[in-house]
Amino acid sequence: MKGSIAAGLKLAISGVLFSLLLTAGVNAEALRIGSAVEPKSMDPQLTALGSDLGYYRHVYNALVEADESLRPQPGLAESWTVIDDTTYEFKLREGVRFHDGSAFDAEDVLYSFERLPTVPDGDGLTAAKLKSVSEIEVIDPHLIRIHTSTPDSGVLRALGQFFILPKELGEVATEDFNSGDAVIGTGPFKFDEWRRGDFLRFSRNPDYWGEAPQFDDVEFKMLSNSASRVAALRAGDVDLIDYVPPLDALRIKQDSDLNLFTIPAGRTILLLLDAKRDMTPHVFDKAGNPLKENPFKDKRVREAISKSIDRNLIVDKVMDGLAAPASQPMPVGFGGYADDLKVPESDVEAARALMAEAGYPEGFKMTLNCTSGRYINDTEVCQAIAQMVSRIGIEANVDALPPSAYFPEYKNAAFSAYILGWGNSSGDASSILTSVGHSADKTSGRGSWNHHYESAELDALIEQGLGTVDDEKREALYADAMRKIMEDVAMIPLHAQLVLVATQKNLEYRPTANEWTLAQNVSLAE
Amino acid sequence: MIFAITRRSFQALITLLILSLLAFTAVYAIGDPILLLIDAQASSLEQEALRTRLGLDQPMPVQYLYFLQNLMSGDFGRSFVSGEPALRLILERLPATLELAFVALLIATVVGVPLGMIAGLNAGSRFDRVVSVFSVLGFSVPSFWIGIILILVFSVQLGVLPSFGRGDTATLFGIASSLWTFDGWRHILLPATNLALFPMALLIRLARAGASEAVRLDFIKFARAKGVTTRRIIFVHLLKYISISLVTILGMQLGLLIAFAIVTESVFSWPGTGKLIIDAMNSLDRPVIVAYLLIVGCIFVIANTVTDLLYIVLDPRIRSGGGNDPR
Amino acid sequence: MSDSILAVESLTMGFDSKDGFVEIVRDVSFSVRPGEILGIVGESGSGKSLSAYSIMGLIDPPGRISAGKIWVGETNLLDLDEESMRELRGTRIAMIFQDPMMTLNPVLRIDTQMIEAVQSHFNITRRDAIARSAAALERVGISDPYSRLRSYPHELSGGMRQRIAIAIAVLNSADVIIADEPTTALDVTIQSQILYEVQRLCAERGTSAVWISHDLGVVSSLADRVCVMYAGQIVEQGPTEDVIASPRHPYTAGLLASTPGRGTPKKPLSQIRGSMPTPGSIPSGCAFRERCDFAQERCLDAPELRGATGEDRFVRCHFPFGENGASK
């Protein structure tokens, strides 16, 4: 009796295993992407989170679109001219159809613009970026003029996240987008299905006006757990994954069955020091008593700290070589990049001398506030910094908090020495200069992330740049602002993160600096 | 019986009310969700505007009262993140988690109870020792690590099972589930096994203790004296006798599994409520967190009530009020 | 005796402990003829229950049978493998236990527990098995058997449960029923009912019984022959009336004298001084030596179980009553 049960069990188990081996076939026309971040919704006007925008770019187009270096290129607008300081004229592309067959024209631009600020529960970010737009004038179905109330150089780039919806939608709510009914755009893909937390599927738009994508179907599988995401690629369950953890990236580089693609991302990691207040909370003498003055107010101390940090070493050892040491708070190639600035060299001797000159030959104690799990290896980077500044006598205690706890404290100006990773999604210096470079100003809303530094000179440069519509002139001003920041040690940039994408051997990918994972950038390897 | 049910329901309601208050307060005390919802590059004006729009500028007691008011009409609020009704978000994902919990419990029972019983009947043997060590491992080794190992072995190395996700679903009797498809079973096998390890370890130990204790009882000897086969003694007499204590544990475990499938769902990207709650906690999406806690609280209460009822069904002594002979 | 249905020959069993093998049942022999009721009397710890378990093959490690033979008909049970033994249990030899509370599985219905006694041995439909069970219940004096069958053990009284146990024992028409103190836990009126039923069954069907008890009174009214056990050994054996009327072993006499109801009213109960030795600390020579008022130097030698030839009367004593030697 016992024998036959055992035999029966063995037979059953082998039967099950055998049938499992006959795994489901893989569709060669479908691209499977393992995504780290899921879209919050399919309403392109609800939020402007960078992770969401990438998804919208598959089914929608904007008037202008960012290339790999985030420079504006023609999208639904074939060309544009700057008429004057407050007027842009856009020539709209003809013969473009939405997925439902309706034709694209100026009325659609107008409709999309009118809906933008009205989306309930939206973050209103895109609307805010286009705040200066006072009117969109329709000259003819394929020619419009955008008028701004004040000269605003950021408008052009801001249009890159302003996706065009068909006016035929009429009154439509975010739910209609999330269910897929209202997701109708002009993009290279059509919306297929979205199961939240599970997958998002698009299928090829055969009537696309631009370059046709190489795949019939794209399925984004939501794999937020990085270990599982990498395992899925290894197992062949997906063809491409984004946000590859650096340690795995190294191994993937060496793996002949997989490819790794990188590009410096817009995100730069900065060390900020409170140079504004007379007394700052987190600095102590060696005995643990709070210091009466704020050492960071002295530029020599800031410079000493910057000099004591070996950025190359951090990139090599903490980031496994997968980051680009920063010479300024913005990556190479972005609008306003100052080519003449070099990555600050580590010079411990000079740093010690500066500390002594400033009156701190023995150094002091401080708390270094850090995020945990927000940026790649953030806590480890902070620990490396703490070690490095110890060489000039500064005893740094790293206090790491998860983002949900860190940022509220940040906003309350609770920190003295702290970390920030800035995303620069505009593709030029305007974003960081506005929010972190410019001093805090409630009326204009500028400097909302700046609690640590104030300079009228820098403010003037920034304001001038923001109001300069001419590209060349504006970027020259931004470059000046960059130089001023580095000279005055208003911020201490460390490195720019890399976009890390891995694929199966037979695929190639063109990454973009805004960290968007785009199926249209995937091609079969030669 | 009716009275008992009513009383228990009332207690449950009080529990849920307190739970909602605790959850609400705790999330409020942690931090400001605005900064996590909005892109960092938004100005302070935009942030204030969003705050007002979401009603986060009101004092906490006011917010809580609004919440309760909405609760009465079945409105659990809208997710701060996606704008969708929190209740709908959770109910959408709940079937996947229920599937996972159910299959995990099935595996734990089908594997754990016989193993434990045989170990208990052969107490002190090598088999017993091996099983005991295995059950301790089930408690102590982190489920996250085991999950990754399972993926590495079965998906990466052997390539026989998928490394993530839920399989295709089909609808039977009006219920859509991935358990009706072969692809569904391929996908659920690894995560369910991962989730099953903890309750399995528990069941092994309970079954073992129950069996080794019960086998000394007189009625087992009497059954043997009747010439009943060993197989029947184990699977009818012994099993039915220890099933009472097992069922109690199983009932509690079901609630725990549903609530804490988080790690497994995260590792295997199983689209259930576990992953939803983690994302909600990271972005301080209070409506979703509170709605989740309440719904899971309900499930716990229901699971415990059903367990109590099952207890009555399984133990005939309780059914008729204890019998006429004192024990 | 070759016409006996059950014959235990020099049975020795005990437990393996860290101090070695401790004997509990020491060289016990008895036999039962068809239709005969044999009583085994002794205090708790005398080894009588374990003798019964040994016959049924229900000794679990660390206990084991170290010597002897157990004959049922022509078969030595100790030669049989487990499966053959299982086939015998419930069909040729059946057992009734002491505590009716725990003998039946509290979570299974009566019918389940009765029909399995039949279905474990014979290929019989459930309906037929139920019918047989109902008939057996009626035979032991249970009215309305079908509703009893659908009950659970805890819904029935102790006396009822014991009757059911008896019914189970006779379900398959066993040749020998071994009853281990089945009425000890019941009150006196029920007890006599049970005794009556057993007697009737045995008479009707020619079933033999081994009735184990510490109560001489019960045994005296029921058994045809009786064995008295002390410290794992049989110390006296013979027809019941004879043993009760003229006990030959001092222990038997002491037992009889200390039984309530036998002494004269108002006279203090006599007791045997001391207590029975535990296994492992049994004195050398006669095990009863230290408690015996008539012990002499000769008793340092262990006495054999002896009887006069031709007589069915045995005693393990150097100075038994009623022979040359001590008087009562």
Side-chain angles (χ1 to χ4, degrees):
Chain A
M1 186 51 91
K2 278 196 178 136
S4 57
I5 293 180
L9 264 176
K10 282 193 196 127
L11 194 63
I13 290 175
S14 15
V16 169
L17 278 178
F18 182 69
S19 43
L20 286 177
L21 276 168
L22 306 171
T23 52
V26 174
N27 187 352
E29 307 304 358
L31 177 66
R32 300 159 307 166
I33 297 182
S35 295
V37 189
E38 180 168 29
K40 299 284 186 281
S41 90
M42 280 310 291
D43 181 344
Q45 300 189 327
L46 181 73
T47 72
L49 286 168
S51 47
D52 276 29
L53 296 175
Y55 289 105
Y56 305 144
R57 183 65 188 77
H58 290 79
V59 289
Y60 296 106
N61 290 112
L63 292 178
V64 303
E65 290 176 347
D67 62 13
E68 275 85 70
S69 315
L70 304 189
R71 290 188 178 277
Q73 301 294 334
L76 285 176
E78 213 171 62
S79 64
W80 57 88
T81 41
V82 177
I83 307 283
D84 60 47
D85 261 11
T86 57
T87 318
Y88 289 86
E89 187 175 271
F90 290 87
K91 173 128 185 41
L92 303 179
R93 213 175 280 273
E94 300 192 36
V96 175
R97 292 199 169 272
F98 284 96
H99 299 145
D100 63 353
S102 58
F104 160 68
D105 60 33
E107 295 297 315
D108 300 304
V109 180
L110 203 56
Y111 163 79
S112 308
F113 185 69
E114 273 157 18
R115 181 177 183 265
L116 190 60
T118 68
V119 179
D121 298 324
D123 65 5
L125 201 58
T126 312
K129 286 208 164 127
L130 296 172
K131 199 172 33 183
S132 59
V133 175
S134 55
E135 186 205 341
I136 295 189
E137 188 192 335
V138 177
I139 303 188
D140 73 44
H142 293 277
L143 193 66
I144 58 171
R145 280 200 187 166
I146 295 185
H147 299 273
T148 60
S149 48
T150 58
D152 185 353
S153 61
V155 164
L156 201 61
R157 285 171 188 267
L159 287 174
Q161 57 188 77
F162 170 56
F163 294 106
I164 307 301
L165 308 170
K167 62 180 176 293
E168 285 76 12
L169 282 180
E171 281 280 322
V172 76
T174 304
E175 273 110 58
D176 302 314
F177 285 93
N178 290 344
S179 68
D181 293 334
V183 181
I184 298 169
T186 59
F189 292 98
K190 290 191 210 199
F191 178 87
D192 205 354
E193 192 188 343
W194 182 27
R195 232 185 274 161
R196 202 183 273 277
D198 204 347
F199 65 85
L200 170 60
R201 203 184 303 128
F202 299 135
S203 54
R204 189 214 300 261
N205 173 13
D207 303 317
Y208 183 54
W209 55 266
E211 189 186 324
Q214 292 204 13
F215 298 93
D216 289 343
D217 283 296
V218 184
E219 189 166 304
F220 290 89
K221 311 256 193 190
M222 304 307 166
L223 301 173
S224 55
N225 182 301
S226 42
S228 320
R229 203 161 57 249
V230 175
L233 183 70
R234 280 230 153 81
D237 288 335
V238 291
D239 305 309
L240 181 151
I241 58 173
D242 55 14
Y243 293 97
V244 182
L247 207 54
D248 294 291
L250 280 180
R251 247 180 260 132
I252 288 175
K253 240 202 309 204
Q254 290 151 5
D255 189 336
S256 55
D257 289 327
L258 301 171
N259 295 336
L260 183 72
F261 299 95
T262 72
I263 193 178
R267 192 174 298 279
T268 310
I269 307 297
L270 315 163
L271 174 62
L272 302 175
L273 301 170
D274 180 6
K276 210 161 100 168
R277 292 181 285 195
D278 289 327
M279 268 198 73
T280 191
H282 291 284
V283 201
F284 314 94
D285 62 20
K286 289 296 174 88
N289 306 313
L291 281 183
K292 296 278 170 33
E293 346 74 26
N294 177 359
F296 302 134
K297 278 194 94 160
D298 189 329
K299 181 180 136 184
R300 288 171 294 192
V301 173
R302 299 202 296 272
E303 216 183 307
I305 290 178
S306 176
K307 274 191 154 44
S308 70
I309 297 176
D310 187 344
R311 289 152 181 79
N312 289 314
L313 197 61
I314 291 182
V315 166
D316 255 343
K317 299 294 173 204
V318 180
M319 303 297 289
D320 300 308
L322 295 167
S327 63
Q328 56 203 273
M330 205 170 63
V332 185
F334 275 35
Y337 188 82
D339 291 313
D340 53 315
L341 289 175
K342 300 273 170 279
V343 177
E345 287 277 324
S346 154
D347 188 346
V348 180
E349 287 296 316
R352 282 206 195 106
L354 279 167
M355 287 290 282
E357 227 186 275
Y360 298 98
E362 304 301 314
F364 49 84
K365 258 194 177 157
M366 74 175 192
T367 308
L368 176 59
N369 287 93
C370 198
T371 57
S372 169
R374 173 81 179 103
Y375 314 116
I376 301 179
N377 293 347
D378 41 15
T379 319
E380 289 84 343
V381 170
C382 288
Q383 279 162 353
I385 294 175
Q387 270 205 350
M388 288 169 181
V389 299
S390 69
R391 300 182 290 180
I392 59 171
I394 300 180
E395 258 178 64
N397 172 39
V398 176
D399 183 8
L401 294 170
S404 51
Y406 181 85
F407 287 114
E409 294 292 297
Y410 183 116
K411 280 289 164 153
N412 288 333
F415 301 146
S416 304
Y418 50 111
I419 285 289
L420 181 65
W422 193 259
N424 284 313
S425 62
S426 57
D428 69 357
S430 62
S431 141
I432 190 169
L433 288 176
T434 311
S435 301
V436 192
H438 196 286
S439 55
D441 175 9
K442 281 255 173 232
T443 38
S444 66
R446 298 200 180 107
S448 54
W449 287 78
N450 183 353
H451 303 290
H452 67 285
Y453 179 83
E454 214 164 38
S455 154
E457 215 190 298
L458 184 60
D459 286 354
L461 269 174
I462 295 173
E463 281 158 27
Q464 210 186 343
L466 285 173
T468 306
V469 172
D470 178 78
D471 287 343
E472 247 185 73
K473 293 209 185 84
R474 181 178 69 252
E475 289 186 7
L477 285 164
Y478 285 161
D480 281 341
M482 288 287 142
R483 288 184 199 100
K484 172 91 180 107
I485 286 174
M486 292 311 289
E487 193 210 300
D488 213 26
V489 201
M491 309 170 200
I492 302 181
L494 300 171
H495 53 262
Q497 290 188 172
L498 291 185
V499 173
L500 293 166
V501 170
T503 68
Q504 300 289 348
K505 192 169 40 177
N506 63 332
L507 294 175
E508 271 178 8
Y509 181 71
R510 255 180 10 254
T512 55
N514 52 15
E515 297 178 312
W516 293 1
T517 308
L518 297 171
Q520 45 269 54
N521 286 16
V522 183
S523 54
L524 293 163
E526 309 301 308
Chain B
M1 184 73 139
I2 306 284
F3 176 67
I5 293 181
T6 321
R7 192 181 52 181
R8 219 169 265 139
S9 314
F10 186 66
Q11 286 171 346
L13 220 64
I14 303 278
T15 310
L16 291 175
L17 202 65
I18 296 178
L19 182 62
S20 75
L21 187 59
L22 284 174
F24 204 83
T25 321
V27 179
Y28 184 88
I30 286 176
D32 186 1
I34 292 295
L35 295 161
L36 301 164
L37 294 174
I38 210 173
D39 197 38
Q41 294 160 52
S43 72
S44 32
L45 293 173
E46 289 138 21
Q47 290 164 17
E48 289 309 316
L50 185 60
R51 200 185 302 274
T52 317
R53 228 195 321 259
L54 293 176
L56 293 172
D57 52 345
Q58 306 276 13
M60 207 264 296
V62 175
Q63 290 190 46
Y64 182 66
L65 284 170
Y66 274 133
F67 169 73
L68 277 185
Q69 195 177 16
N70 290 335
L71 214 54
M72 297 305 156
S73 47
D75 177 11
F76 281 68
R78 286 171 173 273
S79 158
F80 287 162
V81 167
S82 68
E84 287 190 41
L87 184 63
R88 166 139 55 97
L89 275 179
I90 294 174
L91 291 181
E92 254 173 15
R93 316 271 284 240
L94 204 55
T97 302
L98 287 176
E99 266 178 23
L100 193 60
F102 173 69
V103 176
L105 212 55
L106 195 67
I107 294 177
T109 311
V110 164
V111 175
V113 172
L115 268 184
M117 279 178 72
I118 296 176
L121 293 173
N122 297 299
S125 67
R126 188 156 11 129
F127 180 82
D128 177 29
R129 282 199 289 266
V130 168
V131 167
S132 295
V133 167
F134 171 70
S135 72
V136 169
L137 288 179
F139 286 131
S140 36
V141 180
S143 122
F144 176 87
W145 185 80
I146 295 188
I148 296 288
I149 295 293
L150 284 175
I151 293 178
L152 281 179
V153 171
F154 289 96
S155 305
V156 180
Q157 298 288 350
L158 296 179
V160 293
L161 290 175
S163 63
F164 64 86
R166 188 181 177 211
D168 300 330
T169 55
T171 315
L172 211 62
F173 315 120
I175 304 177
S177 163
S178 74
L179 296 179
W180 309 136
T181 65
F182 180 67
D183 186 52
W185 278 96
R186 282 187 70 232
H187 279 86
I188 207 172
L189 210 54
L190 285 182
T193 305
N194 185 218
L195 193 58
L197 290 177
F198 189 91
M200 189 193 299
L202 202 59
L203 283 175
I204 287 178
R205 294 180 85 77
L206 280 172
R208 188 191 170 284
S212 65
E213 189 192 292
V215 85
R216 315 237 165 277
L217 293 176
D218 271 355
F219 62 80
I220 296 287
K221 266 213 156 66
F222 186 62
R224 288 171 69 193
K226 287 191 284 191
V228 177
T229 58
T230 313
R231 194 160 53 99
R232 190 183 156 86
I233 290 184
I234 293 178
F235 289 110
V236 175
H237 281 263
L238 205 56
L239 190 57
K240 189 116 202 272
Y241 188 75
I242 65 177
S243 67
I244 298 164
S245 54
L246 293 183
V247 159
T248 325
I249 299 298
L250 279 179
M252 276 168 33
Q253 286 297 305
L254 186 64
L256 283 171
L257 283 181
I258 293 175
F260 300 118
I262 292 177
V263 172
T264 302
E265 287 191 12
S266 172
V267 173
F268 289 90
S269 289
W270 186 263
T273 52
K275 189 159 173 313
L276 180 67
I277 190 66
I278 280 213
D279 293 340
M281 288 201 262
N282 275 334
S283 33
L284 290 180
D285 191 353
R286 197 191 319 130
V288 174
I289 297 177
V290 176
Y292 175 86
L293 288 172
L294 287 175
I295 290 177
V296 168
C298 271
I299 293 179
F300 256 97
V301 169
I302 294 175
N304 282 341
T305 310
V306 168
T307 305
D308 286 342
L309 292 176
L310 260 183
Y311 197 93
I312 292 177
V313 164
L314 281 177
D315 190 347
R317 293 171 280 189
I318 307 230
R319 234 186 287 162
S320 26
N324 22 10
D325 273 323
R327 216 132 251 300
Chain C
M1 293 179 217
S2 55
D3 60 342
S4 56
I5 184 79
L6 168 70
V8 173
E9 210 180 287
S10 303
L11 175 68
T12 306
M13 71 77 57
F15 290 89
D16 284 309
S17 75
K18 55 179 165 41
D19 301 320
F21 186 71
V22 177
E23 286 182 346
I24 313 272
V25 177
R26 307 186 290 145
D27 194 25
V28 163
S29 303
F30 57 83
S31 61
V32 190
R33 282 191 290 262
E36 183 180 53
I37 300 183
L38 172 71
I40 300 186
V41 180
E43 299 171 52
S44 20
S46 56
K48 49 194 204 303
S49 296
L50 285 172
S51 307
Y53 288 143
S54 301
I55 298 173
M56 293 296 288
L58 293 177
I59 301 291
D60 292 322
R64 64 185 164 90
I65 298 173
S66 58
K69 297 190 180 30
I70 302 177
W71 299 98
V72 170
E74 303 295 312
T75 325
N76 179 3
L77 297 187
L78 299 179
D79 288 337
L80 292 179
D81 65 4
E82 176 58 26
E83 179 58 20
S84 312
M85 194 62 211
R86 184 196 71 75
E87 281 168 21
L88 265 180
R89 292 191 201 115
T91 50
R92 290 202 75 185
I93 28 168
M95 188 158 170
I96 306 171
F97 290 55
Q98 173 176 343
D99 183 356
M101 311 293 189
M102 283 308 283
T103 315
L104 293 169
N105 189 334
V107 302
L108 296 176
R109 284 217 311 233
I110 301 294
D111 56 7
T112 312
Q113 302 191 55
M114 286 193 80
I115 65 177
E116 71 179 353
V118 187
Q119 288 183 318
S120 299
H121 299 284
F122 307 110
N123 203 346
I124 181 175
T125 64
R126 186 191 158 85
R127 186 190 306 207
D128 289 341
I130 298 254
R132 212 150 114 167
S133 307
L137 288 179
E138 274 179 346
R139 265 206 303 279
V140 294
I142 294 179
S143 57
D144 195 10
Y146 282 98
S147 75
R148 296 281 173 263
L149 281 173
R150 280 195 302 276
S151 315
Y152 281 91
H154 66 271
E155 293 169 339
L156 307 170
S157 68
M160 189 78 75
R161 277 184 257 190
Q162 207 59 307
R163 281 182 206 250
I164 291 174
I166 297 171
I168 292 176
V170 301
L171 253 182
N172 295 323
S173 307
D175 296 325
V176 185
I177 297 179
I178 303 177
D180 184 11
E181 306 213 48
T183 53
T184 309
L186 304 171
D187 43 76
V188 182
T189 38
I190 312 288
Q191 187 169 279
S192 51
Q193 286 174 13
I194 302 286
L195 290 174
Y196 170 74
E197 293 297 345
V198 173
Q199 229 165 3
R200 190 170 59 84
L201 277 172
C202 287
E204 273 176 21
R205 320 176 103 241
T207 316
S208 314
V210 176
W211 194 275
I212 300 173
S213 181
H214 64 270
D215 188 344
L216 261 177
V218 165
V219 168
S220 64
S221 56
L222 184 67
D224 301 314
R225 290 168 60 242
V226 72
C227 292
V228 180
M229 279 188 75
Y230 184 80
Q233 290 175 310
I234 296 188
V235 296
E236 184 157 4
Q237 192 176 315
T240 313
E241 280 155 10
D242 205 12
V243 172
I244 302 289
S246 40
R248 294 196 190 167
H249 195 282
Y251 176 65
T252 318
L255 267 185
L256 281 167
S258 57
T259 308
R262 297 200 107 246
T264 40
K266 296 251 199 269
K267 198 161 162 227
L269 284 175
S270 69
Q271 281 184 346
I272 310 175
R273 59 180 164 83
S275 56
M276 194 175 69
T278 52
S281 46
I282 298 174
S284 54
C286 175
F288 190 62
R289 171 167 61 82
E290 285 168 2
R291 303 172 74 192
C292 185
D293 291 333
F294 308 96
Q296 293 173 34
E297 213 183 288
R298 177 98 186 280
C299 301
L300 287 169
D301 280 329
E304 302 277 321
L305 191 66
R306 257 175 293 136
T309 35
E311 261 193 5
D312 179 23
R313 197 75 167 82
F314 298 88
V315 94
R316 189 187 295 269
C317 184
H318 291 302
F319 307 102
F321 298 142
E323 276 185 33
N324 48 316
S327 52
K328 279 204 218 134

